[in-house]
Every structure is written in C-alpha cells, then in structure tokens.
Amino acid sequence: MKALICSRPGAFEYKDLPAPVLQPGHAIIKIKRIGICGTDLHAYQGTQPYFNYPRILGHELAADLVDADALSGFIPGEALTFIPYFSCGKCIACRNGKPNCCATIQVCGVHVDGGMADYLSVPEDTLVKSEGLSYDELALVEPLAIGAHGIRRANVMKDEFVLVVGAGPIGLGTMEFARIAGARVMAMDVNETRLEFCRNRISVAYTINPSAEDAIKRLAEITNGDMPTVVIDATGNRKAINNGLQYLAHGGRYVLIGLQREEFCFSHPEFHKREATLMSSRNATRQDFEHVIHTIKAGLIHPLTYITHRVQFDEVKDVFEEWLHPSAGVIKAMVEKE
C-alpha cells in the first residue's frame, strides 16, 4: 500500500509499505477521507507534544470496512469511522470510564501510525457505525467530538456566557456544542476571516478580535459586567492560554482543549480570588462520538461548511506547507482517496 510518512519536521515522503494483516481483535479499514487537523500541522512543524518521528499522520478518518476479527455487527464494505484513541482498559482512568485519558493511551497518528495510507489496522472495539453519514461527515465526527467533550467537561448550562478562544475547526465545533447546550456563545480570534466565518456560517452572535479592540472591555459590555462563566481555549497557543484567565468570571471554569508543548502560567492571586476551576479536556469518548452523529443527523450542525480545501491523496505532500499560513484561509482541509 502507499503511505505518506512525516519523516522529520517539515518533510513528507510517499512510500510503498506492506498492507496490514488482520490480527485478533482488530479490523482492517480502507481509508476514504482524511481530515487535516491542528495535530497534523503541529507535527509537521515539530511542535506537537507526545510525538516521535517518523510517523504516518492522520486520525480524522472515514473508511470502508475490509475485514474484522469477529465483525461485531459490521459488514465488510460498509462505511464507518472509528475512535482513534487506543486505551488499555485496565488503568485507573479506564476503570473510571475515562478511556480518553488512559494512562498509556496510544493516539492514532501521534503515538502510533495513522491513516495517511491506503489501509489501517485498528482495534475492532473502536469502530463507529456511519448511521447514514457521508464520508466527509464521518471524517468530521472526531474533531467535533473534541468540542463536544469539552462542553460536557465544562457542564455548560443554558443561558450562561461561554467564550471560546480560537476559531479553528476545534473551536468552531466547541462553539456549536455550546450553542446546542443553550449557552450564549462568544468567539475570540486574531484572524478576522475566521471571525467572519463564525458570524456568517455558524451564527455566533458575539465575536472579538483582541488585536483590534480591548477584549476585556468588550466582554464586560456583552455580559453586563459579569464576564464569561466558562472560558475555553482552543488555540494551543501558549500566549493565548496564559492570557485566558483574565477573561473569566468569578466562580468560573477555565477549560483547556488546546495543547502546546511548554509550561503555562498565570497569576495565582487572579486565579485564587475567582475561586476558579481549571480543567483540561483530552480527546473524546464514544458517548461524544454518538452525540456528534446524532446532532449531524438531526440537522443541528452542518459540518460540511467547515471544508475549505480539498486535495487528492497524491497531492498532499506538495500542498501541505501552504496550509500552515493564515493567508491560505484554511479552516478544514479534506484529503480524498478513491
């Protein structure tokens, strides 16, 4: 099979590799779509945590089932997606129903090779039924599940103000699920094009560009002085993460979905006086995947509007670096395979 390997930061190469052989408890899937996410971009740049080279990237996938050990209700040839976080099932997180933060988790395309290839072997218990979704929609379930999980972690309630910092695909999904939870959603980003997308494509009522206006003043105006009770970082940018606490209401929750490699820091007095809650949100669970599929089927989210760029698998190496630049206007790039 053909695979695209990130051999080192800034370098891709296509290689012919042996196709995977069916193993007990596993399934072989044929890749049809690959969504490009921030993890892939950061890995290419050399800034992704938990990462080693060489690596086959790709974890936002739609596929057809080729074969499975016991089939478990799946039929060869049917469309599907999968949960790309391989957990041990035995550690304290897994025993407590949190396989998304398993102590020895193996994330597809990060810790182990991913889906930028013709075929992929995955644990059979990670397969997810398509429920009639298209390949494009199936490839978008995973990034949407990241946002859905963050909103569930934050226990977002009806009518509370939720600020999402970062209007990339993960941030957009987070905004959508905050809206579905009944929150009053605010988007913050320094990219005006992405803020325009928030306003015009997913109907976010309040958008803030901190590089062009006084963000704290604007948030105070919107919230009648209260400030947002939930602030969610979806940037993975150290400066943004360090600045986020200042936007938070007293008694509020600060949720880090975005991830970066360095330490983060904030004023202890500012944190303490708020009696703030700080939490991370890692990956997603099957519950989140099922919630996303239900919301797409119900027409509550239209994720195909996120797709701004499409390429064939053979073209990825030539265009990937362009997607790193804000001028390219990428929100979601989708790789198509026959």
Side-chain angles (χ1 to χ4, degrees), residues 151 155-159 175-183 291:
I151 293 302
N155 192 28
V156 169
M157 307 298 288
K158 187 176 186 300
D159 289 331
M175 294 172 206
E176 298 251 52
F177 282 97
R179 170 182 56 79
I180 289 168
H291 180 43

Side-chain angles (χ1 to χ4, degrees), residues 7 12 43 45 48 77 112 124 139 166 173-174 177 216 267 275 285 288 329:
S7 55
F12 273 131
Q45 291 174 306
Q48 176 63 29
V112 296
E124 190 176 33
T174 304
F177 282 97
I216 293 176
S267 164
E275 198 180 53
T285 66
D288 301 310

Side-chain angles (χ1 to χ4, degrees), residues 140-323:
L140 292 166
V141 170
E142 191 273 343
L144 288 170
I146 298 291
H149 185 73
I151 293 302
R152 186 159 64 89
R153 281 278 288 150
N155 192 28
V156 169
M157 307 298 288
K158 187 176 186 300
D159 289 331
E160 70 177 325
F161 283 104
V162 174
L163 171 65
V164 179
V165 184
I170 299 300
L172 293 174
T174 304
M175 294 172 206
E176 298 251 52
F177 282 97
R179 170 182 56 79
I180 289 168
R184 291 180 282 184
V185 184
M186 298 170 283
M188 181 180 290
D189 203 293
V190 297
N191 186 321
E192 195 58 43
T193 300
R194 290 194 168 187
L195 292 179
E196 183 179 351
F197 187 95
C198 292
R199 291 189 294 268
N200 297 336
R201 304 297 285 274
I202 64 171
S203 301
V204 174
Y206 309 104
T207 58
I208 300 162
N209 185 337
S211 68
E213 59 185 315
D214 185 330
I216 293 176
K217 181 179 178 181
R218 176 74 174 128
L219 288 168
E221 290 173 350
I222 294 169
T223 63
N224 195 30
D226 288 340
M227 304 299 282
T229 49
V230 178
V231 175
I232 301 177
D233 179 83
T235 67
N237 177 277
R238 184 184 185 188
K239 182 178 179 181
I241 291 170
N242 289 345
N243 285 339
L245 180 64
Q246 66 182 319
Y247 306 135
L248 185 67
H250 283 237
R253 291 97 77 199
Y254 187 27
V255 185
L256 304 182
I257 295 178
L259 177 65
Q260 50 89 38
R261 294 185 66 171
E262 307 299 329
E263 295 177 348
F264 69 90
C265 61
F266 49 82
S267 164
H268 191 174
E270 289 297 320
F271 180 75
H272 194 87
K273 75 181 186 182
R274 286 170 168 80
E275 198 180 53
T277 299
L278 173 65
M279 63 180 73
S280 60
S281 179
R282 189 178 188 193
N283 300 325
T285 66
R286 182 172 289 275
Q287 177 183 346
D288 301 310
F289 275 68
E290 291 173 350
H291 180 43
V292 168
I293 290 171
H294 171 76
T295 57
I296 294 173
K297 289 183 66 177
L300 299 176
I301 292 180
H302 304 284
L304 299 188
T305 61
Y306 297 5
I307 301 173
T308 54
H309 294 64
R310 290 182 182 273
V311 298
Q312 295 299 309
F313 181 59
D314 291 342
E315 301 171 321
V316 175
K317 179 181 176 181
D318 295 330
V319 303
F320 196 90
E321 190 159 345
E322 297 174 11
W323 296 339

Side-chain angles (χ1 to χ4, degrees), residues 321-338:
E321 190 159 345
E322 297 174 11
W323 296 339
L324 300 173
H325 305 296
S327 59
V330 176
I331 292 178
K332 176 59 67 177
M334 186 67 69
V335 179
E336 299 181 346
K337 291 179 59 62
E338 296 299 329

Side-chain angles (χ1 to χ4, degrees), residues 108-124:
C108 187
V110 177
H111 303 94
V112 296
D113 285 337
M116 286 198 185
D118 293 334
Y119 299 96
L120 183 65
S121 174
V122 301
E124 190 176 33

